[in-house]
Amino acid sequence: MRTVTMSNNKGGSAKTTTTVSLASAFAEMGFRVLVIDLDPQGSATFWLGGRESPVGLVEFSEGGVRVARLVQSSSTPGVDLIPTSPSLVPSGEKRLNDTGLALVRGFARLPDYWDLILVDTPPTVGYLSLAPLAASDHVVIPVEAHALAMQGVASVMTSIKRAQARVNKRVDLLGVVACRVNATVHTRDVIAQLRASYGATVLEQTVRETIRLAEAPGRRMSIIRYAPWSAAAQDYRAVARELLTRMGGTASRV
């Protein structure tokens, strides 16, 4: 079982789109996938056909909650979901720290049932984006092909290094994925800057912008199911294969 966190502290970076799309692509390849929605806005929960739950990883970490009560089925075959929950947003600074620690404990208690766990995080620096780094094997940074993208990537890389030094030596940067790519000089320049700054950590495969991606959430279907032969669906399948290769997994299970 591998845990992969999608992280970028900048909004509009396609984290949720990448989480949902990769989950569907991996499931299509035969993997058992769990999506954990740590964004209180619940976009991944909605997109995957789920609903906010009063029981989340925080409650699960305390014991007495069965996995069957924690996990929901999603609208994508082969993909399960731990939806967003109110306990992700406690009151008071001490509670924030307690919640972060509870999330780490919750990750540790999950059974070794799924091949891949994909974690969607909010676009902020805080306990909901940092706690998963203490429990993950890998981090993927989705990034919009825009000039402001560089700052978000640098921020996540700093967080990964801190996590490696303090709480989780095994976590690594699996790759940077350029998303919402279109045929403009600006986009080409941004991708060139990313590759110049971060080298091989930037995936060869990029994800093209398409109206189908904007339509898919309203149908509560991943792009892989909603428009399986669209450019974005093909791109996310290719991203999934490239990430899988980087993880060293080529069979039906990681």
Side-chain angles (χ1 to χ4, degrees):
M1 183 169 73
R2 305 280 186 91
T3 300
V4 183
T5 291
M6 307 295 158
S7 185
N8 193 319
N9 301 325
K10 180 182 177 300
S13 61
K15 279 197 311 299
T16 299
T17 300
T18 300
T19 303
V20 171
S21 302
L22 286 179
S24 185
F26 282 126
E28 188 180 61
M29 296 164 66
F31 292 92
R32 292 195 295 257
V33 183
L34 173 67
V35 170
I36 299 178
D37 188 359
L38 291 187
D39 189 341
Q41 293 184 15
S43 297
T45 296
F46 175 84
W47 198 335
L48 285 168
R51 60 193 182 283
E52 182 181 270
S53 172
V55 175
L57 278 181
V58 173
E59 291 78 13
F60 181 69
S61 72
E62 300 168 355
V65 175
R66 296 173 62 87
V67 173
R69 189 180 174 202
L70 178 71
V71 177
Q72 298 179 7
S73 297
S74 81
S75 57
T76 298
V79 178
D80 292 324
L81 171 69
I82 295 180
T84 190
S85 62
S87 57
L88 292 177
V89 187
S91 59
E93 186 64 31
K94 183 177 185 298
R95 290 293 305 278
L96 295 181
N97 294 332
D98 291 345
T99 301
L101 292 172
L103 289 173
V104 175
R105 292 194 300 269
F107 275 101
R109 292 195 67 237
L110 288 172
D112 188 16
Y113 172 78
W114 298 275
D115 301 308
L116 289 164
I117 298 176
L118 304 186
V119 185
D120 190 28
T121 58
T124 56
V125 179
Y127 65 102
L128 291 177
S129 60
L130 297 177
L133 300 185
S136 293
D137 301 292
H138 310 289
V139 178
V140 170
I141 307 178
V143 58
E144 184 182 15
H146 189 279
L148 296 176
M150 307 294 286
Q151 184 176 358
V153 175
S155 176
V156 176
M157 288 189 170
T158 298
S159 295
I160 293 172
K161 290 177 181 177
R162 288 176 178 169
Q164 289 171 331
R166 298 177 182 178
V167 294
N168 184 6
K169 293 181 180 180
R170 75 178 188 278
V171 66
D172 65 14
L173 174 59
L174 193 58
V176 177
V177 184
C179 302
R180 296 174 177 161
V181 171
N182 53 44
T184 64
V185 172
H186 176 73
T187 293
R188 290 196 297 271
D189 287 346
V190 170
I191 294 174
Q193 290 176 34
L194 284 169
R195 297 194 191 285
S197 297
Y198 302 112
T201 60
V202 181
L203 269 64
E204 289 297 323
Q205 180 64 47
T206 61
V207 179
R208 287 166 284 184
E209 179 72 285
T210 168
I211 189 61
R212 299 298 186 191
L213 274 174
E215 295 170 349
R219 302 296 182 92
R220 307 192 80 174
M221 298 170 65
S222 74
I223 190 65
I224 305 294
R225 295 196 67 214
Y226 173 63
W229 301 115
S230 64
Q234 295 180 55
D235 290 346
Y236 271 116
R237 288 188 183 101
V239 169
R241 290 193 296 269
E242 189 170 352
L243 292 176
L244 185 60
T245 298
R246 292 188 177 208
M247 285 187 283
T250 56
S252 61
R253 289 176 60 88
V254 173

